[in-house]
Amino acid sequence: MRSIALTAALCAALLAGCAAPEPAKTAEPAAPAADQAGDTGASAVGGERPLGKIGADQVGKLSPVPALKGFGEHWSIQIQATGEMNHRVELTWGSGSEKASGQARYFGQPADAPADLIVLSGELSTVQGAKPMTIEIDRMECIDDGDGRHRNSIRVSVDGMDKLEGCADLAMY
């Protein structure tokens, strides 16, 4: 009996040693080298911001638009978050005959906007060149022409084009 108790105590001690947390490491990661040109990350190769450069007010925040599909009469849009409040945008219009892609960014809630409005701003790369684009998403029910109910209404404004209005829902990929 005594050997069973001794064996059990030994096993418990051994298990406790295995389950002990690893001591905290005190070495700090190396700080990234400062950019001597004073670049704030607004421009980079290909016009994209380098990874890791976001504003201090956006650290730890997620875009309110992870993925969204919108549509209206003869047009559709797909929006996909790419990180750091940036989004990839694919726009199709003219009953599918015209297509363009671009980038949009969420800069936070505009001070004078209603609480249920999300605004993305960016550029659409068209055959005529890059054009400024604004996407407004209202978090209010939208009913399409077929009486289908959708969670959001959407307006897309691209410089030089008619404003596109329709309905949108979160996309499931």
Side-chain angles (χ1 to χ4, degrees), residues 3-20:
S3 65
I4 293 176
L6 184 59
T7 304
L10 218 67
C11 287
L14 193 78
L15 288 174
C18 290

Side-chain angles (χ1 to χ4, degrees), residues 9 14 21 38 46 50 62 67 109 113 129 153 159 165 169:
L14 193 78
L62 297 174
Q109 183 68 23
S153 65
D159 194 35
E165 296 185 20
D169 290 300

